[in-house]
Amino acid sequence: MKTIKGPALFLAQFAGDAAPFNSWGSITKWAADCGYVGVQVPSWDGRLFDLEKAAASKDYCDEVKGVAAEAGLQVTELSTHLQGQLVAVHPAYDTQFDGFAAPSVRGNPKARATWAVDQVKKALTASRNLGLTAHATFSGALAWPYLYPWPQRPAGLVEEAFDELARRWLPILNHAEDCGVDVCYEIHPGEDLHDGVTFEMFLDRVKGHARANMLYDPSHYVLQHLDYLSNIDIYHERIKMFHVKDAELNPTGRQGVYGGFQSWVNRAGRFRSPGDGQVDFGGIFSKLTQYGYDGWAVVEWECCLKHPEDGAREGADFVRAHIIRVTEKAFDDFADAGTDRAANRRMLGLGD
């Protein structure tokens, strides 16, 4: 067993144009003041991080780490959630997702996908330059619009979507192997990889690639009524990253999992600040510790009610209170009778 590292904070939800959220130096100081010892970095946000430089220059990466270290922080992982989303986009979402891409490739789905693949590869190279071993991303989606089987899905439709998704990701996974970095897909509604079954469908198609792994976020499992504790039992060998995000699902006679097109605050299922929802984090930290998870516990703050800065400060304390410092001895060592093999044989009636 190993002690989980943390607390860390995903900075994507906090980066902004006003201080202290508009520069790497100031946001790291703010995060440290909130009680964090690590930060997960959104690679697309130029106010905080220059992905092109990071992929090309280890010196720049050393500068990034140095600024964080001055604040008492480590860089835990990079994220390409937005770029990974664009590796595979169903045409129904072209307009909505175009804003994630560089202006030069907007309106051109093929060029956009090529750009996205290059971005994720650069982020993996940058991860290596930073000395990191795990990377957060989304899988993107081709089959998602056909999630509900009405009208009836044509035979082979989903299989073709997953075949194509694997074709697009395999070169990225191979580059990840070259970099010594795990690709951690956040299992998330809206992505083709949104539960255990779909992760397995993808894993089969990339032939069990060692670098194809999971970012475990229980909030997304609560909102689809999935057993998030059993999920750890099943997939713990593939869980290489952990988002501490809470959620609640309160179905009524009027709406349930689908949410009835309501705003987040009015949905039956909604994200909450850590400790304010229904997630059994005691159970999660226990299981991850039991299975030897040695990565970071990263707060991804999203809540439809609470102010983000309050959620951030509370989140650091929440994670710190849940991290289990693993024991180096058995609790009943005090009663050790000091037996040996001969004594064991006598106890079993086998003689000397």
mmCIF file of all heavy atoms in Angstrom, residues 12-34:
data_model
loop_
_atom_site.group_PDB
_atom_site.id
_atom_site.type_symbol
_atom_site.label_atom_id
_atom_site.label_comp_id
_atom_site.label_asym_id
_atom_site.label_seq_id
_atom_site.Cartn_x
_atom_site.Cartn_y
_atom_site.Cartn_z
ATOM 1 N N ALA A 12 -8.112 24.556 -14.090
ATOM 2 C CA ALA A 12 -8.929 24.970 -15.232
ATOM 3 C C ALA A 12 -10.112 25.832 -14.821
ATOM 4 O O ALA A 12 -10.454 26.806 -15.503
ATOM 5 C CB ALA A 12 -9.414 23.746 -16.001
ATOM 6 N N GLN A 13 -10.757 25.473 -13.720
ATOM 7 C CA GLN A 13 -11.963 26.190 -13.303
ATOM 8 C C GLN A 13 -11.654 27.528 -12.632
ATOM 9 O O GLN A 13 -12.574 28.276 -12.307
ATOM 10 C CB GLN A 13 -12.794 25.320 -12.347
ATOM 11 C CG GLN A 13 -13.544 24.189 -13.029
ATOM 12 C CD GLN A 13 -12.682 22.980 -13.305
ATOM 13 O OE1 GLN A 13 -11.524 22.926 -12.909
ATOM 14 N NE2 GLN A 13 -13.251 22.000 -13.994
ATOM 15 N N PHE A 14 -10.375 27.833 -12.438
ATOM 16 C CA PHE A 14 -10.016 29.050 -11.713
ATOM 17 C C PHE A 14 -9.270 30.069 -12.555
ATOM 18 O O PHE A 14 -9.265 31.263 -12.224
ATOM 19 C CB PHE A 14 -9.182 28.688 -10.477
ATOM 20 C CG PHE A 14 -9.943 27.830 -9.502
ATOM 21 C CD1 PHE A 14 -9.869 26.446 -9.563
ATOM 22 C CD2 PHE A 14 -10.778 28.404 -8.559
ATOM 23 C CE1 PHE A 14 -10.600 25.651 -8.683
ATOM 24 C CE2 PHE A 14 -11.523 27.623 -7.687
ATOM 25 C CZ PHE A 14 -11.425 26.245 -7.748
ATOM 26 N N ALA A 15 -8.644 29.638 -13.637
ATOM 27 C CA ALA A 15 -7.908 30.564 -14.489
ATOM 28 C C ALA A 15 -8.846 31.644 -15.023
ATOM 29 O O ALA A 15 -9.987 31.371 -15.405
ATOM 30 C CB ALA A 15 -7.258 29.807 -15.639
ATOM 31 N N GLY A 16 -8.359 32.883 -15.032
ATOM 32 C CA GLY A 16 -9.183 33.997 -15.499
ATOM 33 C C GLY A 16 -8.325 35.202 -15.836
ATOM 34 O O GLY A 16 -7.095 35.153 -15.761
ATOM 35 N N ASP A 17 -8.984 36.295 -16.182
ATOM 36 C CA ASP A 17 -8.257 37.492 -16.612
ATOM 37 C C ASP A 17 -7.909 38.428 -15.460
ATOM 38 O O ASP A 17 -7.191 39.409 -15.655
ATOM 39 C CB ASP A 17 -9.085 38.257 -17.656
ATOM 40 C CG ASP A 17 -9.206 37.476 -18.963
ATOM 41 O OD1 ASP A 17 -8.257 36.740 -19.286
ATOM 42 O OD2 ASP A 17 -10.243 37.593 -19.628
ATOM 43 N N ALA A 18 -8.423 38.153 -14.281
ATOM 44 C CA ALA A 18 -8.148 39.008 -13.127
ATOM 45 C C ALA A 18 -7.172 38.317 -12.186
ATOM 46 O O ALA A 18 -7.185 37.084 -12.034
ATOM 47 C CB ALA A 18 -9.445 39.335 -12.390
ATOM 48 N N ALA A 19 -6.316 39.110 -11.544
ATOM 49 C CA ALA A 19 -5.387 38.566 -10.557
ATOM 50 C C ALA A 19 -6.172 37.999 -9.371
ATOM 51 O O ALA A 19 -7.226 38.518 -9.021
ATOM 52 C CB ALA A 19 -4.436 39.670 -10.098
ATOM 53 N N PRO A 20 -5.685 36.950 -8.739
ATOM 54 C CA PRO A 20 -4.412 36.248 -8.977
ATOM 55 C C PRO A 20 -4.523 35.074 -9.943
ATOM 56 O O PRO A 20 -3.656 34.206 -9.959
ATOM 57 C CB PRO A 20 -4.064 35.738 -7.573
ATOM 58 C CG PRO A 20 -5.407 35.367 -7.000
ATOM 59 C CD PRO A 20 -6.364 36.412 -7.528
ATOM 60 N N PHE A 21 -5.556 35.058 -10.770
ATOM 61 C CA PHE A 21 -5.844 33.885 -11.588
ATOM 62 C C PHE A 21 -5.349 34.003 -13.024
ATOM 63 O O PHE A 21 -5.653 33.155 -13.861
ATOM 64 C CB PHE A 21 -7.354 33.621 -11.584
ATOM 65 C CG PHE A 21 -7.933 33.546 -10.196
ATOM 66 C CD1 PHE A 21 -8.757 34.556 -9.723
ATOM 67 C CD2 PHE A 21 -7.628 32.483 -9.364
ATOM 68 C CE1 PHE A 21 -9.283 34.503 -8.436
ATOM 69 C CE2 PHE A 21 -8.146 32.416 -8.077
ATOM 70 C CZ PHE A 21 -8.973 33.426 -7.606
ATOM 71 N N ASN A 22 -4.576 35.052 -13.312
ATOM 72 C CA ASN A 22 -4.221 35.346 -14.700
ATOM 73 C C ASN A 22 -2.755 35.123 -15.027
ATOM 74 O O ASN A 22 -2.300 35.488 -16.108
ATOM 75 C CB ASN A 22 -4.607 36.790 -15.036
ATOM 76 C CG ASN A 22 -3.925 37.797 -14.119
ATOM 77 O OD1 ASN A 22 -3.315 37.432 -13.119
ATOM 78 N ND2 ASN A 22 -4.041 39.073 -14.472
ATOM 79 N N SER A 23 -1.976 34.555 -14.108
ATOM 80 C CA SER A 23 -0.576 34.246 -14.402
ATOM 81 C C SER A 23 -0.136 33.050 -13.580
ATOM 82 O O SER A 23 -0.704 32.762 -12.518
ATOM 83 C CB SER A 23 0.322 35.455 -14.105
ATOM 84 O OG SER A 23 0.487 35.629 -12.704
ATOM 85 N N TRP A 24 0.900 32.384 -14.069
ATOM 86 C CA TRP A 24 1.393 31.187 -13.401
ATOM 87 C C TRP A 24 1.923 31.513 -12.008
ATOM 88 O O TRP A 24 1.641 30.804 -11.033
ATOM 89 C CB TRP A 24 2.475 30.543 -14.264
ATOM 90 C CG TRP A 24 3.076 29.292 -13.702
ATOM 91 C CD1 TRP A 24 4.392 29.071 -13.410
ATOM 92 C CD2 TRP A 24 2.393 28.074 -13.384
ATOM 93 N NE1 TRP A 24 4.572 27.797 -12.924
ATOM 94 C CE2 TRP A 24 3.363 27.156 -12.905
ATOM 95 C CE3 TRP A 24 1.060 27.661 -13.458
ATOM 96 C CZ2 TRP A 24 3.036 25.865 -12.490
ATOM 97 C CZ3 TRP A 24 0.732 26.369 -13.051
ATOM 98 C CH2 TRP A 24 1.711 25.496 -12.570
ATOM 99 N N GLY A 25 2.667 32.589 -11.904
ATOM 100 C CA GLY A 25 3.231 32.941 -10.613
ATOM 101 C C GLY A 25 2.185 33.256 -9.563
ATOM 102 O O GLY A 25 2.281 32.807 -8.417
ATOM 103 N N SER A 26 1.158 34.005 -9.952
ATOM 104 C CA SER A 26 0.166 34.433 -8.961
ATOM 105 C C SER A 26 -0.823 33.330 -8.621
ATOM 106 O O SER A 26 -1.226 33.184 -7.464
ATOM 107 C CB SER A 26 -0.570 35.680 -9.458
ATOM 108 O OG SER A 26 -1.234 35.440 -10.694
ATOM 109 N N ILE A 27 -1.183 32.503 -9.602
ATOM 110 C CA ILE A 27 -2.176 31.465 -9.302
ATOM 111 C C ILE A 27 -1.551 30.348 -8.457
ATOM 112 O O ILE A 27 -2.239 29.744 -7.623
ATOM 113 C CB ILE A 27 -2.812 30.904 -10.591
ATOM 114 C CG1 ILE A 27 -4.160 30.231 -10.251
ATOM 115 C CG2 ILE A 27 -1.893 29.927 -11.306
ATOM 116 C CD1 ILE A 27 -4.991 29.870 -11.471
ATOM 117 N N THR A 28 -0.259 30.093 -8.638
ATOM 118 C CA THR A 28 0.378 29.074 -7.800
ATOM 119 C C THR A 28 0.481 29.561 -6.354
ATOM 120 O O THR A 28 0.271 28.773 -5.419
ATOM 121 C CB THR A 28 1.762 28.696 -8.346
ATOM 122 O OG1 THR A 28 2.529 29.878 -8.602
ATOM 123 C CG2 THR A 28 1.643 27.886 -9.638
ATOM 124 N N LYS A 29 0.771 30.824 -6.172
ATOM 125 C CA LYS A 29 0.813 31.361 -4.802
ATOM 126 C C LYS A 29 -0.574 31.283 -4.154
ATOM 127 O O LYS A 29 -0.710 30.958 -2.975
ATOM 128 C CB LYS A 29 1.322 32.799 -4.811
ATOM 129 C CG LYS A 29 2.795 32.922 -5.165
ATOM 130 C CD LYS A 29 3.218 34.384 -5.243
ATOM 131 C CE LYS A 29 4.690 34.501 -5.638
ATOM 132 N NZ LYS A 29 5.099 35.912 -5.815
ATOM 133 N N TRP A 30 -1.594 31.619 -4.938
ATOM 134 C CA TRP A 30 -2.965 31.544 -4.417
ATOM 135 C C TRP A 30 -3.325 30.108 -4.034
ATOM 136 O O TRP A 30 -3.892 29.861 -2.961
ATOM 137 C CB TRP A 30 -3.948 32.063 -5.461
ATOM 138 C CG TRP A 30 -5.383 31.777 -5.123
ATOM 139 C CD1 TRP A 30 -6.185 32.455 -4.269
ATOM 140 C CD2 TRP A 30 -6.169 30.679 -5.625
ATOM 141 N NE1 TRP A 30 -7.431 31.871 -4.202
ATOM 142 C CE2 TRP A 30 -7.446 30.777 -5.024
ATOM 143 C CE3 TRP A 30 -5.925 29.647 -6.526
ATOM 144 C CZ2 TRP A 30 -8.462 29.870 -5.301
ATOM 145 C CZ3 TRP A 30 -6.934 28.744 -6.800
ATOM 146 C CH2 TRP A 30 -8.191 28.863 -6.185
ATOM 147 N N ALA A 31 -2.984 29.133 -4.910
ATOM 148 C CA ALA A 31 -3.307 27.734 -4.624
ATOM 149 C C ALA A 31 -2.597 27.262 -3.356
ATOM 150 O O ALA A 31 -3.179 26.546 -2.531
ATOM 151 C CB ALA A 31 -2.930 26.854 -5.809
ATOM 152 N N ALA A 32 -1.349 27.658 -3.206
ATOM 153 C CA ALA A 32 -0.616 27.278 -1.997
ATOM 154 C C ALA A 32 -1.254 27.895 -0.759
ATOM 155 O O ALA A 32 -1.357 27.242 0.292
ATOM 156 C CB ALA A 32 0.844 27.707 -2.113
ATOM 157 N N ASP A 33 -1.707 29.129 -0.885
ATOM 158 C CA ASP A 33 -2.363 29.792 0.248
ATOM 159 C C ASP A 33 -3.663 29.084 0.622
ATOM 160 O O ASP A 33 -4.080 29.110 1.789
ATOM 161 C CB ASP A 33 -2.644 31.255 -0.107
ATOM 162 C CG ASP A 33 -3.272 32.019 1.045
ATOM 163 O OD1 ASP A 33 -2.623 32.147 2.101
ATOM 164 O OD2 ASP A 33 -4.422 32.488 0.902
ATOM 165 N N CYS A 34 -4.293 28.441 -0.362
ATOM 166 C CA CYS A 34 -5.516 27.674 -0.078
ATOM 167 C C CYS A 34 -5.226 26.353 0.627
ATOM 168 O O CYS A 34 -6.157 25.709 1.116
ATOM 169 C CB CYS A 34 -6.260 27.387 -1.385
ATOM 170 S SG CYS A 34 -7.049 28.818 -2.153
#
